[in-house]
Amino acid sequence: MKKRSIVLALVLVFVLSITLAACAPKTETAPATAEPAATEPAEQPKEEQVLRVNLFQENSTLDFQACSSEGELNIFNWIMEGLTRSKGDGTIKPGIAEKWESSPDAKEWTFHLRDAKWSDGKPVTAHDFKYGAMRAIDPKTPRDYTYFLYDIVGAEEYSQGKGTADQVGIEVLDEKTIRYKLKQPVTYFDYLVSFATYAPVRQDFYEKVGEKFHTDPEFFLVNGPFKMESWQHESEIVFVKNPEYWDSASIRLEKIIGLMISEDATEFNMYEAGELDHTIQLDADQKAALTKGGVYRYNRGSVWFFDFNCTHPVLKNKNIRKALTYATDRKTFIEQVAKAPWEPALAYVHPDIILDVNGKTPWRNAKPTYFKDNDVETAKKLLEQGMKELGITQVPVLKFLTNDNAKGQMYAQAFQEMWKKNLGIEVEIEPVPSSVRIDRQQAHDYDISLGGWGPDYPDPMTDLDLYITGGGNNDPAYSNPEYDALIKAAKGEADKTKKFELMRRAEDILMEDMPIGPVYSQYRDYAVREYVKGFERHGFSPEMNLIYAYIEGKN
């Protein structure tokens, strides 16, 4: 999931979710609390069930077939539901599908829908899921996560204009049964269908509203626990409980007020003043100053890195990219600038939550690092070699695209100073709103930016297939035929041991070419008011899961 990012797996050894129960002030670990059973109506607390959250900034889109950012996917989880639902801890549960089965070779999956309704009271059908999927791979409207459907027979060909719609392996057997036929075995396909790209869309509604689809509350049609009541763009979104949701009896909150606050200091002050019920994160100074609620930490599951635009006349050279990566002092940045509970990233795939072929030990254990932190001596040699290859004697001024909030600019300034000091490279900082940054990265309209990726599912492929040539989330515009071939071979390999070997070779190539320069793997401290229960933060999407949250003890 981009900046961050989405969902998968059947078993995880590492516990990713942090669920809040009786919150004790300043505690470092959140006790687990059981999620209400979907079949048992929850007893409604007497207190006003209103939760006030921070959405950070206006999202680029809430058209769920096009969603890719962390904030967009959080909202998807609140107001929509796929065939299955990600719990955010690496496991799934039934969603609109009450049951499903796969063929022995995991190449054919059949889902059986429960009695569920859209927010206007009309039934959710298998046709809606097929229409949503076909919309996601429509060749006229390429989307970041289109490739998430490429396991389906004929989907990639249709998306690229090389096939027809009737060749796509999605079959509606009846109003409540849908079947997907896959090109190769995908043992975690029931996790993929929980993702926003697979979301249902009702054809009559979409055709009625057209380009206004999901741009304002009156143009939303949803099937999840909440629905949108109002949207003051760039300011606030209000969600209210959806009475048509099939499991509405288990939803305790009546309203979610989502404010858009991009400055950490403002967010912290509003939290302390009782205007917010949580913070997105806390730095060390804010933790020390906190007086309300409790402090919690979770493994965010993401690796953050420099995105290098590989089409740039200088950054197209891998040795220049490697020089900038090696000349970065991660330890100093984390401890003195970010003041956050992060770890230096000296490789790409996340060190903790992605497991190896044995399903027990982290993938990263086999090869913890690809380079040294703050290796200025090697960086200078790489810079010299890169300039010689390019036929230049000096690197021109590079631009660093960053969020326009104070923290984003502070981070960019730290890297700017490191590269000036260690390599003599001048960098100009280019601050823009988060949504603009994401759009420009996707359009390859930048030199360098700080991007991040969190896992959509617990398999190394969730990180590695981003960088295939022409991939929807390939912000650096990286292209290497050998890398593409390894990813394709790994996806089609039924033998899990061989598949993981192919993926390791792919990561080796990625770190040699370095279209992205790993900086840190992220853990996060945050605050939640003591009266908020059932509020969850996860490494997998949804990062902020609050559908079973409720208010207790506030009055």
Side-chain angles (χ1 to χ4, degrees):
M1 124 194 29
K2 181 174 292 181
K3 298 92 185 171
R4 207 214 49 103
S5 126
I6 342 194
V7 290
L8 217 290
L10 302 178
V11 180
L12 272 182
V13 172
F14 297 91
V15 178
L16 304 176
S17 68
I18 298 297
T19 304
L20 305 188
C23 302
K26 304 289 181 72
T27 182
E28 289 295 330
T29 304
T33 185
E35 184 179 279
T39 56
E40 297 179 7
E43 181 181 349
Q44 295 295 323
K46 297 178 181 179
E47 295 172 278
E48 183 182 38
Q49 294 299 305
V50 178
L51 183 67
R52 299 159 300 174
V53 302
N54 184 8
L55 302 178
F56 186 66
Q57 284 187 342
E58 181 92 354
N59 292 294
S60 297
T61 180
L62 287 181
D63 178 343
F64 297 122
Q65 260 76 38
C67 286
S68 63
S69 76
E70 178 179 278
E72 293 161 2
L73 293 166
N74 280 337
I75 292 174
F76 168 79
N77 178 69
W78 305 342
I79 66 177
M80 285 293 293
E81 186 159 275
L83 290 166
T84 59
R85 175 175 283 278
S86 167
K87 296 172 69 176
D89 61 356
T91 63
I92 56 169
K93 58 184 284 188
I96 300 300
E98 59 184 352
K99 61 181 180 179
W100 59 91
E101 64 269 358
S102 67
S103 59
D105 62 1
K107 292 175 66 175
E108 190 170 286
W109 290 76
T110 305
F111 295 85
H112 306 275
L113 279 60
R114 67 175 78 248
D115 290 331
K117 296 179 180 179
W118 290 101
S119 49
D120 65 0
K122 294 183 179 180
V124 179
T125 72
H127 297 282
D128 301 331
F129 281 94
K130 180 173 182 177
Y131 186 76
M134 296 304 294
R135 183 171 174 266
I137 58 175
D138 187 332
K140 297 189 295 294
T141 54
R143 305 173 191 277
D144 288 354
Y145 270 98
T146 296
Y147 69 91
F148 245 50
L149 288 88
Y150 283 179
D151 291 317
I152 300 170
V153 169
E156 183 173 6
E157 292 79 3
Y158 174 61
S159 176
Q160 296 178 355
K162 300 174 183 178
T164 59
D166 60 359
Q167 294 172 326
V168 177
I170 304 176
E171 184 179 1
V172 174
L173 302 184
D174 58 45
E175 291 294 299
K176 291 189 176 182
T177 313
I178 187 168
R179 178 173 294 160
Y180 299 85
K181 296 181 179 180
L182 311 182
K183 294 185 293 187
Q184 61 257 336
V186 182
T187 56
Y188 48 76
F189 188 73
D190 52 352
Y191 211 109
L192 290 182
V193 296
S194 71
F195 196 64
T197 315
Y198 282 85
V201 176
R202 209 175 72 208
Q203 184 174 358
D204 67 313
F205 181 82
Y206 179 72
E207 292 178 346
K208 177 183 177 181
V209 302
E211 294 182 357
K212 295 180 179 179
F213 183 69
H214 285 195
T215 57
D216 276 303
E218 61 266 37
F219 307 123
F220 273 75
L221 182 67
V222 300
N223 69 347
F226 299 92
K227 61 182 181 179
M228 189 180 293
E229 181 181 65
S230 63
W231 186 353
Q232 298 177 39
H233 291 277
E234 307 291 343
S235 178
E236 174 187 282
I237 304 178
V238 176
F239 308 91
V240 294
K241 184 175 178 178
N242 176 13
E244 299 293 347
Y245 179 54
W246 69 269
D247 192 29
S248 63
S250 295
I251 307 303
R252 305 185 182 192
L253 289 175
E254 293 294 337
K255 182 178 291 189
I256 301 168
I257 300 174
L259 304 177
M260 300 177 194
I261 307 160
S262 62
E263 293 294 345
D264 287 358
T266 302
E267 177 196 56
F268 181 76
N269 291 336
M270 291 180 68
Y271 172 83
E272 284 285 286
E275 298 170 21
L276 276 175
D277 293 323
H278 80 107
T279 66
I280 291 178
Q281 60 186 352
L282 292 172
D283 62 25
D285 295 337
Q286 290 170 333
K287 282 175 63 177
L290 191 78
T291 64
K292 310 290 185 182
V295 177
Y296 300 90
R297 176 174 296 177
Y298 74 110
N299 182 346
R300 200 179 179 207
S302 60
V303 172
W304 287 72
F305 41 76
F306 301 123
D307 272 319
F308 297 114
N309 186 347
C310 295
T311 67
H312 186 277
V314 172
L315 295 172
K316 67 181 181 181
N317 182 276
K318 73 175 184 181
N319 287 311
I320 301 293
R321 301 192 297 262
K322 291 170 76 171
L324 291 164
T325 301
Y326 287 23
T328 301
D329 186 346
R330 292 157 184 77
K331 187 173 186 296
T332 297
F333 170 74
I334 291 169
E335 294 177 357
Q336 299 183 19
V337 181
K339 298 180 181 179
W342 303 342
E343 295 292 336
L346 304 173
Y348 174 44
V349 176
H350 193 280
D352 289 343
I353 70 175
I354 301 298
L355 302 184
D356 210 335
V357 64
N358 59 19
K360 297 178 181 179
T361 57
W363 159 278
R364 192 76 281 137
N365 283 10
K367 189 168 186 177
T369 65
Y370 280 89
F371 53 91
K372 297 177 183 179
D373 185 27
N374 197 30
D375 188 355
V376 178
E377 182 179 349
T378 302
K380 288 180 177 178
K381 293 177 181 178
L382 288 164
L383 176 63
E384 183 179 359
Q385 182 179 346
M387 289 193 297
K388 183 178 180 180
E389 291 167 350
L390 291 169
I392 61 175
T393 57
Q394 184 176 353
V395 172
V397 175
L398 300 173
K399 293 184 178 181
F400 195 109
L401 185 69
T402 186
N403 288 349
D404 61 359
N405 62 350
K407 185 158 288 186
Q409 294 183 70
M410 178 175 69
Y411 291 177
Q413 288 166 4
F415 302 132
Q416 177 190 49
E417 291 170 6
M418 290 177 191
W419 293 336
K420 172 65 175 176
K421 174 184 175 183
N422 295 335
L423 299 175
I425 293 177
E426 296 283 352
V427 174
E428 177 184 324
I429 297 172
E430 193 174 8
V432 296
S434 176
S435 59
V436 174
R437 174 184 63 82
I438 293 172
D439 289 344
R440 286 185 55 183
Q441 283 179 267
Q442 292 170 347
H444 317 304
D445 178 21
Y446 71 101
D447 295 353
I448 306 172
S449 187
L450 186 65
W453 190 261
D456 297 330
Y457 49 94
D459 184 286
M461 191 60 75
T462 191
D463 293 327
L464 295 171
D465 69 357
L466 269 65
Y467 299 107
I468 58 172
T469 300
N473 285 308
N474 185 351
D475 292 351
Y478 172 66
S479 180
N480 183 322
E482 185 181 0
Y483 184 85
D484 294 345
L486 285 168
I487 295 299
K488 183 176 182 179
K491 286 191 169 186
E493 180 55 66
D495 185 301
K496 192 172 182 180
T497 298
K498 292 180 180 178
K499 173 188 174 182
F500 273 59
E501 289 173 354
L502 291 166
M503 289 191 292
R504 287 200 181 281
R505 288 169 57 192
E507 188 182 27
D508 290 345
I509 291 173
L510 194 70
M511 290 293 92
E512 171 60 26
D513 289 350
M514 207 151 278
I516 56 170
V519 181
Y520 57 89
S521 54
Q522 197 174 51
Y523 302 79
R524 179 174 276 181
D525 291 335
Y526 64 100
V528 179
R529 296 300 293 257
E530 64 282 356
Y531 49 77
V532 178
K533 316 299 181 183
F535 182 99
E536 304 172 357
R537 303 291 293 273
H538 301 290
F540 291 95
S541 180
E543 184 272 340
M544 188 188 298
N545 188 358
L546 45 72
I547 66 171
Y548 292 109
Y550 59 98
I551 307 299
E552 184 176 84
K554 182 177 181 179
N555 296 338

